[in-house]
């Protein structure tokens, strides 16, 4: 049976993979800035 949890885990895997491939194409400063912005957004 394919549960909501499994679907959510797969979605997160795909998002992480997309973020990694996108970050690999950017300069480090831009990558750091985006990571810091994402971390700040999670805190609220």
């Amino acid at each position: 049976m394919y549960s909501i949890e499994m679907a959510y885990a797969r979605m997160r895997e795909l998002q992480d993979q997309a973020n990694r491939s996108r970050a690999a194409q950017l300069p480090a400063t831009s990558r750091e800035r985006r990571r810091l912005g994402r971390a700040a957004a999670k805190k609220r």
Side-chain angles (χ1 to χ4, degrees):
M1 182 174 155
Y2 198 72
S3 68
I4 295 294
E5 289 82 8
M6 291 169 63
Y8 184 75
R10 180 63 178 148
M11 182 186 72
R12 291 295 306 164
E13 286 176 16
L14 291 173
Q15 285 181 335
D16 290 344
Q17 183 179 358
N19 287 339
R20 276 195 306 271
S21 67
R22 201 179 320 141
Q25 299 169 2
L26 293 172
T29 54
S30 180
R31 198 179 330 162
E32 288 299 319
R33 199 176 310 125
R34 207 169 67 225
R35 184 181 301 133
L36 291 173
R38 198 179 308 133
K42 283 185 180 178
K43 289 181 182 175
R44 59 183 167 94

